[in-house]
Short mmCIF file of all heavy atoms in Angstrom, two decimals:
data_model
loop_
_atom_site.label_atom_id
_atom_site.label_comp_id
_atom_site.label_asym_id
_atom_site.label_seq_id
_atom_site.Cartn_x
_atom_site.Cartn_y
_atom_site.Cartn_z
N VAL A 105 5.18 3.03 -16.69
CA VAL A 105 5.25 1.87 -15.72
C VAL A 105 4.51 0.64 -16.17
O VAL A 105 5.00 -0.41 -16.17
CB VAL A 105 4.81 2.32 -14.27
CG1 VAL A 105 4.83 1.15 -13.38
CG2 VAL A 105 5.73 3.48 -13.78
N LEU A 106 3.23 0.91 -16.56
CA LEU A 106 2.39 -0.25 -16.96
C LEU A 106 3.04 -0.96 -18.21
O LEU A 106 2.95 -2.21 -18.36
CB LEU A 106 1.04 0.28 -17.38
CG LEU A 106 0.13 0.72 -16.21
CD1 LEU A 106 -1.20 1.22 -16.77
CD2 LEU A 106 -0.07 -0.39 -15.21
N SER A 107 3.65 -0.19 -19.09
CA SER A 107 4.30 -0.87 -20.20
C SER A 107 5.56 -1.59 -19.96
O SER A 107 6.09 -2.29 -20.74
CB SER A 107 4.46 0.17 -21.33
OG SER A 107 5.61 1.05 -20.99
N GLY A 108 6.13 -1.37 -18.75
CA GLY A 108 7.38 -2.02 -18.36
C GLY A 108 8.60 -1.24 -18.64
O GLY A 108 9.70 -1.66 -18.37
N GLU A 109 8.42 -0.05 -19.13
CA GLU A 109 9.59 0.78 -19.46
C GLU A 109 10.29 1.24 -18.24
O GLU A 109 11.53 1.37 -18.23
CB GLU A 109 9.11 2.00 -20.26
CG GLU A 109 10.15 2.93 -20.86
CD GLU A 109 9.60 4.06 -21.60
OE1 GLU A 109 8.47 4.00 -22.22
OE2 GLU A 109 10.33 5.10 -21.76
N ILE A 110 9.59 1.64 -17.17
CA ILE A 110 10.13 2.06 -15.94
C ILE A 110 9.36 1.43 -14.79
O ILE A 110 8.25 0.82 -14.99
CB ILE A 110 10.10 3.63 -15.75
CG1 ILE A 110 8.60 4.20 -15.83
CG2 ILE A 110 10.97 4.29 -16.78
CD1 ILE A 110 8.48 5.61 -15.50
N ASP A 111 9.93 1.44 -13.57
CA ASP A 111 9.29 0.82 -12.44
C ASP A 111 8.83 1.94 -11.41
O ASP A 111 8.12 1.66 -10.51
CB ASP A 111 10.16 -0.09 -11.67
CG ASP A 111 10.32 -1.43 -12.37
OD1 ASP A 111 9.38 -1.80 -13.16
OD2 ASP A 111 11.40 -2.04 -12.26
N ASN A 112 9.33 3.22 -11.58
CA ASN A 112 9.05 4.27 -10.58
C ASN A 112 9.12 5.59 -11.25
O ASN A 112 9.86 5.74 -12.29
CB ASN A 112 9.95 4.11 -9.36
CG ASN A 112 11.42 4.35 -9.70
OD1 ASN A 112 12.01 3.40 -10.32
ND2 ASN A 112 11.96 5.42 -9.33
N TYR A 113 8.59 6.55 -10.57
CA TYR A 113 8.71 7.99 -10.99
C TYR A 113 8.46 8.94 -9.87
O TYR A 113 7.79 8.51 -8.86
CB TYR A 113 7.94 8.34 -12.26
CG TYR A 113 6.40 8.20 -12.09
CD1 TYR A 113 5.60 9.28 -11.71
CD2 TYR A 113 5.71 6.98 -12.26
CE1 TYR A 113 4.23 9.16 -11.59
CE2 TYR A 113 4.37 6.88 -12.12
CZ TYR A 113 3.64 7.98 -11.77
OH TYR A 113 2.22 7.90 -11.66
N ILE A 114 8.98 10.07 -9.97
CA ILE A 114 8.77 11.17 -8.99
C ILE A 114 8.40 12.43 -9.68
O ILE A 114 9.04 12.77 -10.73
CB ILE A 114 10.02 11.42 -8.15
CG1 ILE A 114 10.47 10.08 -7.35
CG2 ILE A 114 9.79 12.51 -7.18
CD1 ILE A 114 11.77 10.17 -6.66
N LEU A 115 7.42 13.10 -9.23
CA LEU A 115 7.10 14.49 -9.81
C LEU A 115 6.37 15.25 -8.81
O LEU A 115 5.75 14.77 -7.82
CB LEU A 115 6.29 14.26 -11.13
CG LEU A 115 5.01 13.46 -11.17
CD1 LEU A 115 3.86 14.45 -10.76
CD2 LEU A 115 4.78 12.94 -12.52
N ASP A 116 6.32 16.62 -8.99
CA ASP A 116 5.51 17.49 -8.24
C ASP A 116 4.19 17.59 -8.94
O ASP A 116 4.14 17.73 -10.17
CB ASP A 116 6.21 18.90 -8.09
CG ASP A 116 7.42 18.88 -7.17
OD1 ASP A 116 7.69 17.87 -6.54
OD2 ASP A 116 8.06 19.91 -7.13
N LYS A 117 3.14 17.52 -8.15
CA LYS A 117 1.83 17.43 -8.77
C LYS A 117 0.78 18.03 -7.80
O LYS A 117 0.93 17.94 -6.58
CB LYS A 117 1.47 15.93 -8.99
CG LYS A 117 0.07 15.72 -9.44
CD LYS A 117 -0.17 14.18 -9.55
CE LYS A 117 -1.66 13.99 -9.76
NZ LYS A 117 -2.01 12.55 -9.84
N ARG A 118 -0.29 18.66 -8.35
CA ARG A 118 -1.36 19.22 -7.54
C ARG A 118 -2.46 18.27 -7.44
O ARG A 118 -2.76 17.58 -8.40
CB ARG A 118 -1.81 20.55 -8.10
CG ARG A 118 -0.81 21.66 -7.95
CD ARG A 118 -1.22 22.90 -8.75
NE ARG A 118 -1.03 22.59 -10.17
CZ ARG A 118 -1.22 23.47 -11.16
NH1 ARG A 118 -1.69 24.65 -10.95
NH2 ARG A 118 -1.00 23.11 -12.41
N TYR A 119 -3.15 18.30 -6.25
CA TYR A 119 -4.38 17.59 -6.05
C TYR A 119 -5.44 18.63 -5.65
O TYR A 119 -5.11 19.62 -5.00
CB TYR A 119 -4.24 16.53 -5.01
CG TYR A 119 -3.47 15.33 -5.33
CD1 TYR A 119 -2.13 15.19 -5.22
CD2 TYR A 119 -4.14 14.22 -5.99
CE1 TYR A 119 -1.41 14.06 -5.64
CE2 TYR A 119 -3.51 13.11 -6.34
CZ TYR A 119 -2.15 13.00 -6.23
OH TYR A 119 -1.45 11.90 -6.59
N VAL A 120 -6.63 18.32 -5.85
CA VAL A 120 -7.79 19.11 -5.42
C VAL A 120 -8.41 18.37 -4.20
O VAL A 120 -8.86 17.28 -4.36
CB VAL A 120 -8.81 19.28 -6.60
CG1 VAL A 120 -10.00 20.21 -6.07
CG2 VAL A 120 -8.14 19.90 -7.83
N ARG A 121 -8.41 19.17 -3.15
CA ARG A 121 -8.89 18.58 -1.88
C ARG A 121 -10.39 18.57 -1.91
O ARG A 121 -11.09 19.18 -2.73
CB ARG A 121 -8.47 19.44 -0.67
CG ARG A 121 -6.95 19.29 -0.35
CD ARG A 121 -6.65 20.18 0.76
NE ARG A 121 -7.53 20.29 1.84
CZ ARG A 121 -7.53 19.37 2.88
NH1 ARG A 121 -6.63 18.46 2.91
NH2 ARG A 121 -8.48 19.51 3.89
N LYS A 122 -11.04 17.85 -0.94
CA LYS A 122 -12.47 17.67 -0.87
C LYS A 122 -13.21 19.03 -1.02
O LYS A 122 -14.20 19.21 -1.61
CB LYS A 122 -12.91 16.93 0.37
CG LYS A 122 -14.36 16.64 0.48
CD LYS A 122 -14.66 15.79 1.64
CE LYS A 122 -16.04 15.27 1.70
NZ LYS A 122 -16.40 14.31 2.74
N GLY A 123 -12.70 20.04 -0.21
CA GLY A 123 -13.42 21.38 -0.21
C GLY A 123 -13.04 22.19 -1.46
O GLY A 123 -13.54 23.37 -1.57
N GLY A 124 -12.24 21.70 -2.31
CA GLY A 124 -11.91 22.51 -3.56
C GLY A 124 -10.51 23.20 -3.49
O GLY A 124 -10.10 23.74 -4.54
N ASP A 125 -9.93 23.21 -2.28
CA ASP A 125 -8.51 23.78 -2.18
C ASP A 125 -7.62 22.97 -3.03
O ASP A 125 -7.75 21.76 -3.09
CB ASP A 125 -8.10 23.83 -0.74
CG ASP A 125 -8.92 24.80 0.12
OD1 ASP A 125 -9.57 25.73 -0.48
OD2 ASP A 125 -9.02 24.58 1.34
N VAL A 126 -6.56 23.61 -3.51
CA VAL A 126 -5.50 22.92 -4.30
C VAL A 126 -4.26 22.79 -3.35
O VAL A 126 -3.84 23.75 -2.71
CB VAL A 126 -5.21 23.66 -5.50
CG1 VAL A 126 -4.03 23.06 -6.27
CG2 VAL A 126 -6.42 23.68 -6.45
N ILE A 127 -3.71 21.63 -3.41
CA ILE A 127 -2.40 21.44 -2.66
C ILE A 127 -1.35 20.91 -3.60
O ILE A 127 -1.69 20.18 -4.52
CB ILE A 127 -2.57 20.42 -1.42
CG1 ILE A 127 -2.97 19.02 -1.91
CG2 ILE A 127 -3.51 20.95 -0.38
CD1 ILE A 127 -2.74 18.00 -0.85
N TRP A 128 -0.16 21.27 -3.38
CA TRP A 128 0.98 20.77 -4.14
C TRP A 128 1.57 19.68 -3.35
O TRP A 128 1.74 19.67 -2.08
CB TRP A 128 2.06 21.90 -4.24
CG TRP A 128 1.87 22.80 -5.43
CD1 TRP A 128 1.31 24.06 -5.37
CD2 TRP A 128 2.21 22.54 -6.80
NE1 TRP A 128 1.30 24.63 -6.58
CE2 TRP A 128 1.86 23.69 -7.50
CE3 TRP A 128 2.81 21.48 -7.49
CZ2 TRP A 128 2.08 23.77 -8.90
CZ3 TRP A 128 2.99 21.58 -8.84
CH2 TRP A 128 2.61 22.73 -9.53
N THR A 129 1.96 18.57 -4.08
CA THR A 129 2.57 17.49 -3.49
C THR A 129 3.84 17.07 -4.21
O THR A 129 3.95 17.37 -5.47
CB THR A 129 1.66 16.18 -3.41
OG1 THR A 129 1.40 15.76 -4.79
CG2 THR A 129 0.40 16.49 -2.70
N ASN A 130 4.73 16.44 -3.51
CA ASN A 130 5.87 15.68 -4.11
C ASN A 130 5.36 14.21 -4.17
O ASN A 130 5.11 13.63 -3.16
CB ASN A 130 7.15 15.86 -3.46
CG ASN A 130 8.27 15.05 -4.16
OD1 ASN A 130 8.58 13.92 -3.66
ND2 ASN A 130 8.81 15.59 -5.20
N LEU A 131 5.22 13.68 -5.36
CA LEU A 131 4.59 12.39 -5.62
C LEU A 131 5.77 11.35 -5.91
O LEU A 131 6.45 11.65 -6.93
CB LEU A 131 3.59 12.43 -6.69
CG LEU A 131 2.97 11.15 -7.16
CD1 LEU A 131 2.12 10.50 -6.18
CD2 LEU A 131 2.22 11.36 -8.50
N ALA A 132 5.87 10.29 -5.15
CA ALA A 132 6.80 9.24 -5.55
C ALA A 132 6.05 7.94 -5.69
O ALA A 132 5.35 7.53 -4.73
CB ALA A 132 7.91 9.12 -4.41
N VAL A 133 6.24 7.37 -6.85
CA VAL A 133 5.45 6.13 -7.13
C VAL A 133 6.35 5.02 -7.51
O VAL A 133 7.37 5.14 -8.28
CB VAL A 133 4.49 6.42 -8.38
CG1 VAL A 133 3.70 5.15 -8.78
CG2 VAL A 133 3.60 7.58 -8.04
N ARG A 134 6.14 3.82 -6.99
CA ARG A 134 6.95 2.63 -7.28
C ARG A 134 5.92 1.44 -7.51
O ARG A 134 5.07 1.22 -6.63
CB ARG A 134 7.91 2.35 -6.15
CG ARG A 134 8.61 1.01 -6.34
CD ARG A 134 9.89 1.25 -7.06
NE ARG A 134 10.56 -0.04 -7.32
CZ ARG A 134 11.68 -0.16 -7.99
NH1 ARG A 134 12.31 0.88 -8.41
NH2 ARG A 134 12.22 -1.31 -8.18
N CYS A 135 6.14 0.70 -8.56
CA CYS A 135 5.30 -0.43 -8.71
C CYS A 135 5.86 -1.73 -8.19
O CYS A 135 7.07 -1.86 -8.00
CB CYS A 135 4.94 -0.66 -10.26
SG CYS A 135 6.33 -1.46 -11.19
N VAL A 136 4.89 -2.65 -7.83
CA VAL A 136 5.33 -4.00 -7.43
C VAL A 136 4.69 -4.80 -8.52
O VAL A 136 3.53 -4.77 -8.79
CB VAL A 136 4.72 -4.37 -6.04
CG1 VAL A 136 5.00 -5.78 -5.75
CG2 VAL A 136 5.34 -3.43 -4.98
#
Side-chain angles (χ1 to χ4, degrees):
V105 172
L106 289 179
S107 73
E109 185 180 340
I110 60 174
D111 285 331
N112 61 289
Y113 62 95
I114 298 173
L115 56 88
D116 287 353
K117 174 185 171 180
R118 290 170 288 181
Y119 284 91
V120 180
R121 290 177 41 86
K122 186 174 187 174
D125 295 334
V126 174
I127 62 165
W128 275 99
T129 65
N130 178 260
L131 170 70
V133 178
R134 174 89 186 178
C135 78
V136 174

